[in-house]
């Protein structure tokens, strides 16, 4: 059976407010509530609410033949609870149809899989519990790591935690001549399965849809259906993985992205031999074709599909190292606020803002970052982290005195 | 192309950045085989022979000629209205106002002598010198064959205009600083502004040292945007300077180095220092330089009670400047309005991390620096603290800053300038 697997990533970080060094030791609240709320509300209006409604309509219309998967980060769910209960409810309605699969990830959309197994496990457990609480006892079977970061070791770690498989990028440099349109196996644990993003077809929708300099612009449903039909006959699955904000936020409503998605399911079902499946259905129905070797971690970012957007320069490395040096100390502290901030500080976006990779491409950077320069991002983060260290140290002293 | 260029100073006898910029530009033009006739009010004889130098003090002028009389009459009008001497802060301006009103020289007597000994400085006879310089320009324009005229800043604009009237060749007005930068509010009045405006409007093309300055030229002087290009300054030597000088104090050093005048924003540095010291006593601040706001800064430092942590060095030159950069852990240039500002690039050469105001043109070419609004002392203090405490940022500045410097070559600047010349030349009837 040939099938298309849609997975959408839903994530918003808790952005840090402008935090000066003289706030250190006094002001222990780091989060820019106003900014975070306005971003959530804006994206809710442009993307989450209209797109959820459209998906709900499509699922009903096709009576379960159209289905999708979501991974919603824990920090994003926290913000929905605080600022957009309407969005949370509409996701709950989608999941209740039975044709929407939820994936697990790290609660804070963190990069801890690269650093600490224990922290990684803790974060995944937290996310699992949050999904269970918010979605009527729902228990995800498939995992997706932050930014689709994957390596053989990370896969092994996830397998240990009881998942059947996980999603990652179909990066050219790991695939070579191989195609992403098959189910693969983890190189260490052959029972653990891997789904690879078809980046060509995914990015045609996510990045190039409204790009007027693209030779295929405009992307019509006829064109896309023809491309799907061109997928070689023996290929099993086309994984279309993308940010959910593609719909209405990265690609504005005016580009026609909603109309495109509205007609896509019937076009695929009627004019191609493809069906739709969720990740766990794909994993259950397909036989893996071979193991895939990924000795160094990959991600879904940039041309290089590596980690350099988050951990590619001295700024990012210093911030990342100083943060994770705290792990064992924070673990001993039973304090809700310290635990919350420890989570939120791990969100990958903070490190992305410090990237100097896109220095020349100011427009792209400005769009995704609340900071003017990566240096501003670094300074602000380090100020907050310095205060966080002060709090941890104070708490340790308190505990000693009591103990 | 033969370029008739009017400047005001030339290395090694310089008091500001203008002479250095002219030097670099001529060097770049030489690289592209352009012939330059460079006119300065006063030559000392030890200038590097890189152009056909004309010493204005040596030029004989026949003052009875009609052209001269017209030029002179135009200029004396400006002169009589002049209360302002440029390159000084508003407070010193005031002193000079008094001075010119009470001690006016008897102009008429000296006007018709054949030669005039220019001081070439920015002294009390500046306006007269500017006027006489224009007279010399008419003579030079007659004597020296040329294809294009190029005048640097308002001091040389009357000379450029006068030369253009004689030869009819296109005029390029190069703007290194405007009266807006120097005087702040109220920069749009007075003879300096008038002379700048006359030069910019009379020019066939204007070359600004930054986009910041280009914007001022268009918005405040009403020059048509199509007529203004940006030519950022470059550096003569981009090599890293390894210094053997050792700090004699254990604390980190944060430095302001420049004229202590309104334009350079010294008071913001003082206020930011206070904020840093309140949090971290293991820092010393240094204000190096001289200027009309020096005393006020000293008083303010005392008032804030940080005299043992905040030091004044007075005017530095030569090796002392290099040592100061080398000893510094952070260099701050909080200028209120800086058309370009070459000093941060010098700091980069000493591997010293830099904080510059967003109101500085140099920020357009120096990416690896922290940029803050000059008035935002919180942000300034924060940036200082970060550079002193979070090592990776200084390390990155060191690595990347020196690479950036290597791209700032006068040859590249001159290449752009040559295309400006060529376009103007083609337009000639």
């Amino acid at each position: 059976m040939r099938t298309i697997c849609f997975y959408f990533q839903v994530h918003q970080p808790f952005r840090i407010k402008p935090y000066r060094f003289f706030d250190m030791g006094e002001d222990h609240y780091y989060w820019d509530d106003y900014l975070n709320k306005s971003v959530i509300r804006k994206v809710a209006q442009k993307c989450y609410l209209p797109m959820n409604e459209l998906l709900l309509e499509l699922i009903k219309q096709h009576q379960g033949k159209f289905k999708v998967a979501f991974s919603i980060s824990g920090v994003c769910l926290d913000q929905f609870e605080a600022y957009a209960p309407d969005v949370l409810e509409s996701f709950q309605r989608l999941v209740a149809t039975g044709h929407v699969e939820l994936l697990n990830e790290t609660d804070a959309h963190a990069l801890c899989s690269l650093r600490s197994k224990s922290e990684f496990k803790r974060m995944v457990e937290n996310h699992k519990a949050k999904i269970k609480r918010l979605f009527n006892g729902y228990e995800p079977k498939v995992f997706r790591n932050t930014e689709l970061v994957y390596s053989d070791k990370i896969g092994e770690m996830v397998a240990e935690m009881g998942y059947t498989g996980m999603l990652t990028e179909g990066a050219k440099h790991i695939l070579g001549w191989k195609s992403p349109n098959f189910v693969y196996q983890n190189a260490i644990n052959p029972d653990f399965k891997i789904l690879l993003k078809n980046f060509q077809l995914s990015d045609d929708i996510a990045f190039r849809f409204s790009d007027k300099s693209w030779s295929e612009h405009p992307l019509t449903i006829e064109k896309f259906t023809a491309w799907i039909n061109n997928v070689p006959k023996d290929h099993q699955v086309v994984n279309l993985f993308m940010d959910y904000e593609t719909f209405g936020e990265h690609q504005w409503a005016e580009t026609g992205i909603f109309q495109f998605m509205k007609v896509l399911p019937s076009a695929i079902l009627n004019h191609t031999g493809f069906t739709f499946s969720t990740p766990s259905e794909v994993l259950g129905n397909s036989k893996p074709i071979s193991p895939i070797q990924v000795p160094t971690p990959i991600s879904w970012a940039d041309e290089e599909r590596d980690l350099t957007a988050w951990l590619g320069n001295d700024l990012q490395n210093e911030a990342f190292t100083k943060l994770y040096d705290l792990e064992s100390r924070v673990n001993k502290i039973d304090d809700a606020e310290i635990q919350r901030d420890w989570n939120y500080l791990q969100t990958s976006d903070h490190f992305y803002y410090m990237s100097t990779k896109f220095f020349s491409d100011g427009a792209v950077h400005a769009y995704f970052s609340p900071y003017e320069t990566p240096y501003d991002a670094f300074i602000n983060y380090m100020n907050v982290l310095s205060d966080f260290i002060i709090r941890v140290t104070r708490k340790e002293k308190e505990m000693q005195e009591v103990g | 192309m033969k370029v008739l260029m009017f400047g005001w100073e030339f290395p090694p006898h310089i008091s500001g950045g203008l002479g250095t910029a002219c030097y670099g530009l001529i060097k770049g033009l030489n690289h592209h085989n352009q012939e330059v006739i460079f006119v300065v009010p006063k030559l000392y004889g030890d200038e590097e022979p890189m152009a056909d130098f004309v010493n204005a003090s040596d030029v004989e002028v026949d003052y009875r000629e009609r052209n001269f009389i017209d030029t002179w009459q135009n200029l004396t009008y400006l002169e009589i209205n002049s209360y302002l001497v440029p390159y000084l802060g508003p407070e010193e301006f005031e002193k000079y106002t008094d001075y010119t009103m009470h001690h006016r020289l008897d102009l008429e007597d000296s006007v018709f002598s054949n030669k005039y000994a220019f001081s070439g400085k920015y002294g009390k006879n500046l306006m007269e010198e500017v006027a006489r310089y224009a007279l010399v320009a008419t003579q030079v324009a007659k004597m020296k064959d040329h294809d294009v005229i190029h005048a640097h800043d308002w001091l040389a604009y009357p000379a450029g205009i006068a030369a253009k009237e004689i030869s009819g060749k296109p005029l390029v007005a190069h703007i290194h600083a405007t009266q807006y930068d120097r005087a702040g509010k109220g920069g749009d009045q007075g003879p300096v502004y008038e002379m700048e405006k006359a030069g910019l409007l009379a020019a066939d093309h204007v070359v600004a040292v930054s986009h910041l300055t280009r914007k001022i030229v268009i918005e405040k002087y009403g020059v048509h945007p199509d007529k203004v290009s940006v030519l950022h300054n470059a550096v003569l030597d981009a090599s890293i300077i390894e210094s053997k000088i050792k700090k004699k104090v254990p604390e980190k050093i944060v430095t302001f180095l420049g004229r202590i005048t309104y334009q350079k924003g010294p008071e913001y540095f003082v206020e930011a220092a206070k904020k840093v010291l309140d949090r971290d006593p293991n820092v010393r601040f240094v204000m190096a330089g001289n200027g009309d706001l020096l005393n006020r800064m000293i008083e303010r430092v005392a008032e804030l009670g940080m005299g043992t942590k905040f030091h004044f060095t007075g005017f530095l030159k030569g090796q002392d400047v290099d040592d100061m950069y080398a000893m510094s852990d952070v260099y701050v240039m909080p200028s209120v309005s800086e058309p370009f500002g070459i000093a941060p690039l010098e700091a980069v050469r000493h591997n010293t991390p830099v904080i510059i105001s967003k109101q500085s043109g140099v920020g357009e070419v120096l990416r690896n620096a922290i940029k803050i609004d000059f008035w935002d002392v919180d942000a300034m203090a924060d940036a200082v603290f970060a550079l002193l405490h979070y090592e990776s940022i200084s390390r990155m500045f060191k690595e990347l800053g020196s690479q950036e410097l290597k791209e700032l070559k006068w040859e590249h600047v001159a290449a752009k300038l040559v295309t400006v010349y060529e376009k103007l030349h083609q337009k000639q009837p």
Side-chain angles (χ1 to χ4, degrees), chain B residues 234-393:
Chain B
V235 288
L236 286 164
D237 185 355
S239 63
I240 292 300
I241 300 166
E242 300 289 349
S243 175
K244 289 192 182 68
I245 186 92
K246 286 232 167 66
K247 269 194 294 193
K248 289 156 197 98
V249 291
E251 293 90 353
K252 303 267 184 158
I253 294 180
V254 181
T255 303
F256 170 105
L257 201 160
R259 279 179 292 114
I260 304 173
T261 59
Y262 160 83
Q263 187 193 349
K264 303 291 176 182
E267 64 266 47
Y268 304 101
F269 181 75
V270 173
E271 300 303 325
K274 171 70 178 159
K275 293 199 174 237
V276 174
L277 286 170
D278 281 350
R279 278 302 173 124
D280 182 357
N282 298 314
V283 188
R284 287 180 189 273
F285 288 83
V286 175
M287 183 169 274
N290 210 340
D292 60 325
L293 292 184
L294 175 59
N295 290 343
R296 194 193 280 177
M297 293 306 113
I298 295 171
E299 280 163 22
R300 182 66 182 146
V301 165
E303 192 183 331
L304 293 170
M306 53 183 185
T308 57
K309 295 284 182 182
F310 196 114
H311 315 281
F312 295 89
T313 66
F315 181 73
L316 296 183
K317 60 180 182 181
Q319 189 60 41
D320 289 346
V321 175
D322 279 334
D323 289 350
M324 195 64 242
Y325 280 125
M327 272 191 287
S328 303
D329 295 284
V330 177
Y331 172 79
V332 188
M333 187 176 79
S335 295
V336 171
S337 181
E338 188 77 67
F340 191 79
I342 205 101
L345 302 179
E346 281 301 309
V348 171
R349 289 189 62 200
H350 288 87
N351 270 337
T352 303
V354 166
I355 300 169
I356 49 182
S357 69
K358 289 180 184 171
Q359 291 72 25
S360 301
V362 67
E364 295 165 20
V365 294
L366 187 62
R367 208 183 279 150
N368 289 286
I370 294 182
K371 293 161 197 173
I372 44 112
D373 284 305
F374 71 88
W375 44 262
D376 194 348
V377 289
D378 282 354
M380 198 186 302
D382 200 43
V384 167
F385 183 86
L387 286 175
L388 296 180
H389 287 82
Y390 311 141
E391 284 163 27
S392 56
I393 200 162

Side-chain angles (χ1 to χ4, degrees), chain A residues 28-196:
Chain A
H28 304 314
Y29 191 76
Y30 312 141
W31 315 107
D32 196 333
D33 292 345
Y34 176 79
L35 176 65
N36 290 325
K37 182 177 179 177
S38 35
V39 171
I40 288 281
R41 286 312 322 171
K42 187 188 82 174
V43 182
Q45 295 308 325
K46 287 173 79 175
C47 165
Y48 301 147
L49 291 172
M51 191 61 189
N52 280 4
E53 201 181 301
L54 175 62
L55 289 180
L56 195 62
E57 200 181 294
L58 290 170
I59 286 167
K60 281 183 185 155
Q61 184 192 332
H62 295 282
Q63 296 167 338
K65 283 188 183 143
F66 178 67
K67 48 191 87 180
V68 300
F70 285 104
S71 187
I72 313 175
S73 72
V75 282
C76 193
L77 288 168
D78 290 357
Q79 294 188 77
F80 286 159
E81 285 192 274
Y83 308 131
D86 47 343
V87 173
L88 185 58
E89 278 164 30
S90 81
F91 275 113
Q92 286 163 338
R93 275 197 297 278
L94 274 173
V95 174
T97 63
H99 303 295
V100 169
E101 179 169 339
L102 290 179
L103 310 179
N104 257 155
E105 59 173 286
T106 53
D107 191 47
H109 197 272
L111 296 166
C112 48
S113 62
L114 299 165
R115 171 71 189 226
S116 157
K117 190 169 173 177
S118 54
E119 181 61 16
F120 180 63
K121 276 191 161 168
R122 193 190 67 85
M123 277 245 181
V124 175
E125 290 303 325
N126 282 353
H127 188 250
K128 203 172 174 177
K130 204 171 273 178
I131 294 288
K132 200 169 181 174
R133 172 171 67 82
L134 294 173
F135 293 93
N136 198 23
Y138 192 100
E139 278 192 47
K141 303 278 185 298
V142 178
F143 188 78
R144 91 101 218 187
N145 200 13
T146 305
E147 313 290 357
L148 297 193
V149 168
Y150 176 80
S151 70
D152 296 337
K153 285 237 171 80
I154 292 172
E156 188 196 16
M157 210 155 66
V158 176
E160 259 177 46
M161 295 165 73
Y163 294 94
T164 54
M166 87 185 256
L167 278 48
T168 188
E169 173 69 37
K172 267 187 201 154
H173 67 274
I174 59 149
L175 276 171
W177 55 269
K178 293 196 259 316
S179 160
N181 303 337
F182 294 95
V183 176
Y184 288 86
Q185 296 161 296
N186 175 262
I188 302 168
N189 181 345
D191 293 334
F192 188 70
K193 295 170 192 169
I194 310 299
L195 289 181
L196 300 177

Side-chain angles (χ1 to χ4, degrees), chain A residues 22 56 67 70 72 121 132 176 235 290 334 338 355 386:
Chain A
F22 21 77
L56 195 62
K67 48 191 87 180
F70 285 104
I72 313 175
K121 276 191 161 168
K132 200 169 181 174
H235 289 192
S290 81
D334 182 22
I338 285 185
S355 174
S386 304

Side-chain angles (χ1 to χ4, degrees), chain A residues 279-317:
Chain A
S280 60
E281 287 172 346
V282 177
L283 294 179
N285 297 336
S286 315
K287 261 186 98 160
I289 191 156
S290 81
I292 186 115
Q293 310 283 340
V294 188
T296 45
I298 56 167
S299 81
W300 70 354
D302 308 332
E303 245 342 271
E304 303 90 337
R305 304 293 203 265
D306 61 8
L307 301 175
T308 50
W310 302 277
L311 297 170
N313 66 28
D314 284 346
L315 306 178
Q316 295 165 318
N317 292 334

